[in-house]
Every structure is written in C-alpha cells, then in structure tokens.
Amino acid sequence: MSEPLLSMRGLTKAFGASRAIDGVDLDLSQGEVHAIIGENGAGKSTLMKILSGAYRQDSGTMTLDSLAYAPRGPGEARRLGVAMIYQELTIARHLSVEANVMLGQERSRLGMVKKSEHRRLVTGALALLEHPDIRPEARAGDLSVGAQQLVEVARALVSDARVIVFDEPTSSLADRDAARLFEVIERLRLKGIAVVYISHFLEEVRRISYRYTVLRDGRSVGTGRTSETDLSAIVAMMVGRDLSEMFPRVPHEAGEAILDLSGLRVATLPCRADLTLRRGEILGIAGLVGAGRTELLRAVFGLDPVRAGVVRVAHIDHGRATPGGRISQGLGLVSEDRKGEGLALGRSIEDNLTYSALSAYCRWGWLNLRSRRAESSRWMASMRVKATGPSQPVGALSGGNQQKVALARLLHQRADILLLDEPTRGIDVGSKAEIYRRLGELAAEGKAILMVSSYLPELLGICDRIAVMSRGVLSPARPVGDWTAESIMEIATGGVDV
Ligand code: ADP
Ligand code: MG
C-alpha cells in the first residue's frame, strides 16, 4: 500500500474532565472516501476539528505527505490543503457565489483584486459541481441549502484542498440535494482528493465510502473496507452492544380495543382505512412515502377533516374532531416533522413538555413554575433526555433527545393512544434503541401505540402487528410474524392485492 496522504497518531483532546478524543489513529489515502461513523457524542466532530485546525490536540501527532502537520488555525489548515465543510454553513447570504468562493482567498497584485482570475478559478470549481443554479453572480442566500453547501465545496476546490471533510452533510438536505452531493463527492475522489465523511446514517455510508472508521467514546473501535463489512457489525461497534439489543423487547399483551377506524376517508388520501388498535399493543403502519400514512394519523388526530367513515375512541364516536378534543380523549401525536410543527426549538424543554397540558400548573391564573419544573425533570428522567436541565432550549439538543422530548410531552399530557409518525427518523442508533425500549414499556403499561415508519427493520423489530398502506388503501393488520420485509414491500409498491 502506498504511503497515506494523511496520518493521525495517538490524538487526544479533553474538554475539562471529559475526554472527547482518547488516542485515535487514522490514515487517509489519496482518492478515498473514508467514513467516520459513531453515535452522537462519539467524538467525530472533535476529531475533524483537530484535523482542520479549529482545535489543537492535547497530545498526538499528524502528518500530511509524510511531513509534520500541526495547523495553528483553520486558515493555515486550508493553506496546507485541508478543508472542512461544517454542519452549519458559513455562507455570507448577501454576497454572490463568486464572492463567497473567493472570501479569504482573494488573488491580488499590487493591491488590485484580479477579477478575471477570480472568475476563472470560480468557473473552474463550479464546473466540477455541475449545478445549474450555482452561477458566479447568483446571490448565495437565494440558493437551496444543498447548493450553498456546494458553494463551500467550490471554496475548498479553489484553495486546492487535498483533504475535504464533510460533517454530517445530509442531515439538513432534501433527497435530491443529497444525491447531488454524492455525485460531487465521487468526482472529488476521482480528482484524487481524500474525502472524510462523517455520518450516522449507515445506508449512506454504505453507498459512498470505501473505508470506514467507527468511533465510540472518543476511541476508534473498528476500521475496514465498507463493502466487506456487514451493516449489523458496524451497528454493533457503534453502540457497543449486540443487534438483539437494538430492538429490545419488553413483554406486553394486547387488551381491549381503544381506537377503531372504519371506512375512514380523507379528502385526498387515505381513501380507505379500517383498523382496530388495542391497549397494550404496538401497531405499525408501513408503506412508501406519500402513500397517505401521515394523512391518516393527522385525520385521526383531528388535524385534517374526515370525509367519510368513523373514528371511535373507546367505542365512542365523538363526531367532528379537533386536536384539542382528541387530546382530551387521550390521544397524542408526535409529528413526522418535529422541527416544523412538532417542537418549538427556540423554547425550553419544559415549555415544550408542558404546553399541551399547562392547566395542571395553573391556579387562579398563576402558573406554578416550581411544580412545572419538578414535573418536567421527572419526565425528562423517565425518557432519559440528555440535557443540562429543563430550561435548556430544545434546539440545542441532539435529534434523538428532541424526539424523546416530543414523546415525553405525550406522556405528560397523559395520552393513552400514541400516534407516532416516523418517531426515530434521523436519530442515532443508541437513541433509537432507547426509544424502542420505552415504547415497549409504555405498551406494557397499557398504552396503545400506532406507529408509522419507513424503516422496516424497526417495524419488524418492535411491532406486534403491521398494516401496509398502499396508495391510500390500508391492508388488514397482521401479526408481525406473518410478515417479511419482502412481503411488506410487495404490498407497499402495489404489487399484490390485499
Ligand atoms: P460527535 O460529533 O461524534 O457527535 P463531538 O466531537 O461533538 O461528538 O463530541 C464529543 C464529546 O466532546 C461529547 O461528549 C461532547 O459533549 C464533548 N464536546 C465537544 N465539543 C465540546 C466543547 N466545545 N466543550 C465541551 N465539550 C465538548
Ligand atoms: Mg458532530
């Protein structure tokens, strides 16, 4: 094997008493895409900030092209050929694409900016991106998030980067932008650039990386060729536990029927849904995106009008439903879009937990803040929310912890029927496993859980029964043992009549 382009040896970095990075070795070769995988807090970003000069390691060394590499800051790292594309973009929105690309690396002679050279460099870099919206004179703020990210890539190209680090680049991208990014990464690789790709989305890692390194608690716990390693083995390395512990099963038993849908129809989709949900069961709804699953939950919760059919809660038809009415009947919804309509990210955890059931703390128009804080702490502990305290803004939490707050809110409002739309999407495996366990415990307490998910392993892993939605039609719910991933997909894609 040829000499690595970049080597890290024995890197450590502590913040106060906690070791974020604890003796990491890593080699990067020219023209490889190397994935750094790990749960939240594993140390991925810290390691890459050392590489890109944002942090200085406490001990350990790095070499670039066999020469000692110890950048004193991101600027020096860039000059030496290492660029990092951050999760939060650093684009100047009011400037043009060209100005953004050249920012901090203007070419000038005798105090004059060399405009024609700028245009040549920028055009050259943009050619590699092949993005129709990214023109040198376009205003950066008008571009999509994905395109803005590519502008940062252009900036790295102009600085002749040999190593480009992407820190969870797809977490805020639409599918189309993500696909485009993968193509760009492939072209960077072919140019001989070493790409480091941080992610906890394993399917993505599988798709684009040649090698991977798994970090856990600041240590490298495994490295290898991506194509030669099972996803389940990688998951086991990430979480430090077995895959059977990924879907912990808490014994629970289905009881009386508590939610009954018959012939339910909504304006667009679903066009036919019949379902009976019982206490103490987890019922999954599979299907393709756009099949009408979200709309089904919204209609049951009173967010969208029901066109035909009946929803009975504990055998009672309450007529036209509103979300407020449904909450008082014991329903709760965790929406798919936890940022848009689920949680108020700027508000504190306790505000988010309690706002749907504030009256418990109100006496004669006063809000009892102390009891509210105590209750919030209790629910946070029950969901194992990792945060500095109830007053921390929800937006500062990791995705997994945000989702736990959203679930805790339903528990706080004493919901008996939990409607969950993609409850684990975009969160790390460790938080997923915790949420699965908690759902099992809730079922054991007699709650009824109706869960929409596009992630088949979790439906098969934790549900008691599964129904499949295909173009607005819900199949009968069958015991999980009757299903396989293939039989679910067959119905979801409309291949089989039910
Ligand atoms: P990852 O990117 O894998 O999620 P990070 O590198 O961000 O992990 O964090 C690793 C550990 O270091 C975490 O425990 C985190 O809380 C801590 N940490 C990261 N940055 C800082 C900081 N600036 N100050 C204090 N602690 C930090
Ligand atoms: Mg990070």
Side-chain angles (χ1 to χ4, degrees), residues 252-332:
H252 54 267
E253 217 172 296
E256 56 179 323
I258 186 166
L259 179 71
D260 190 71
L261 318 181
S262 55
L264 189 70
R265 230 191 104 186
V266 182
T268 47
L269 293 173
C271 43
R272 197 181 81 216
D274 295 270
L275 186 79
T276 300
L277 177 69
R278 293 177 297 209
R279 280 186 177 279
E281 83 168 337
I282 306 176
L283 203 163
I285 301 185
L288 302 180
V289 170
R293 300 170 301 166
T294 293
E295 291 77 1
L296 174 70
L297 294 193
R298 289 176 57 88
V300 169
F301 195 61
L303 281 166
D304 291 338
V306 168
R307 277 293 158 83
V310 184
V311 176
R312 289 188 188 82
V313 180
H315 310 294
I316 299 167
D317 175 5
H318 293 272
R320 230 179 73 99
T322 60
R326 287 299 191 221
I327 287 176
S328 64
Q329 292 153 25
L331 279 81

Side-chain angles (χ1 to χ4, degrees), residues 250-440:
V250 182
H252 54 267
E253 217 172 296
E256 56 179 323
I258 186 166
L259 179 71
D260 190 71
L261 318 181
S262 55
L264 189 70
R265 230 191 104 186
V266 182
T268 47
L269 293 173
C271 43
R272 197 181 81 216
D274 295 270
L275 186 79
T276 300
L277 177 69
R278 293 177 297 209
R279 280 186 177 279
E281 83 168 337
I282 306 176
L283 203 163
I285 301 185
L288 302 180
V289 170
R293 300 170 301 166
T294 293
E295 291 77 1
L296 174 70
L297 294 193
R298 289 176 57 88
V300 169
F301 195 61
L303 281 166
D304 291 338
V306 168
R307 277 293 158 83
V310 184
V311 176
R312 289 188 188 82
V313 180
H315 310 294
I316 299 167
D317 175 5
H318 293 272
R320 230 179 73 99
T322 60
R326 287 299 191 221
I327 287 176
S328 64
Q329 292 153 25
L331 279 81
L333 172 74
V334 171
S335 100
E336 163 181 44
D337 175 12
R338 65 177 175 263
K339 295 198 171 144
E341 57 184 65
L343 295 170
L345 295 185
R347 307 298 295 269
S348 67
I349 296 173
E350 58 186 343
D351 283 348
N352 273 283
L353 272 177
T354 57
Y355 86 75
S356 54
L358 258 189
S359 55
Y361 310 104
C362 293
R363 275 291 126 74
W364 302 299
W366 292 88
L367 192 58
N368 184 339
L369 291 175
R370 193 184 305 168
S371 75
R372 188 175 84 137
R373 172 142 307 182
E375 270 291 281
S376 300
S377 299
R378 202 167 71 73
W379 285 114
M380 283 171 67
S382 118
M383 279 312 294
R384 299 201 201 97
V385 175
K386 282 195 203 103
T388 56
S391 59
Q392 191 173 16
V394 163
L397 304 179
S398 68
N401 283 299
Q402 289 180 5
Q403 199 62 343
K404 290 183 203 165
V405 171
L407 279 167
R409 175 203 289 166
L410 300 201
L411 304 180
H412 173 264
Q413 81 195 25
R414 313 240 172 255
D416 272 332
I417 304 171
L418 312 184
L419 309 174
L420 311 178
D421 198 355
E422 304 280 9
T424 69
R425 183 158 72 189
I427 71 180
D428 61 279
V429 269
S431 300
K432 277 184 184 165
E434 278 181 36
I435 286 178
Y436 299 146
R437 178 185 306 282
R438 201 63 188 103
L439 293 180

Side-chain angles (χ1 to χ4, degrees), residues 13-16 18-21 36-49 55 87 167-168 198 200 215 217-218 398:
K13 171 85 189 164
F15 295 104
S18 81
R19 289 202 167 186
I21 289 296
I36 307 285
I37 313 168
E39 293 194 73
N40 281 327
K44 308 179 294 292
S45 295
T46 303
L47 185 67
M48 290 306 132
K49 283 179 183 166
Y55 291 158
Q87 257 164 316
D167 192 353
E168 307 208 15
I198 302 182
H200 55 241
L215 291 188
D217 300 330
S398 68

Side-chain angles (χ1 to χ4, degrees), residues 204-220:
E204 203 173 276
V205 164
R206 162 78 106 215
R207 186 157 151 204
I208 66 161
S209 71
Y210 175 67
R211 284 196 302 153
Y212 68 88
T213 295
V214 180
L215 291 188
R216 189 173 76 231
D217 300 330
R219 299 207 174 122
S220 164

Side-chain angles (χ1 to χ4, degrees), residues 136-155:
E137 64 283 358
R139 187 178 166 277
D142 295 338
L143 300 175
S144 70
V145 177
Q148 291 183 18
Q149 200 173 52
L150 294 181
V151 170
E152 299 224 19
V153 175
R155 199 166 168 186

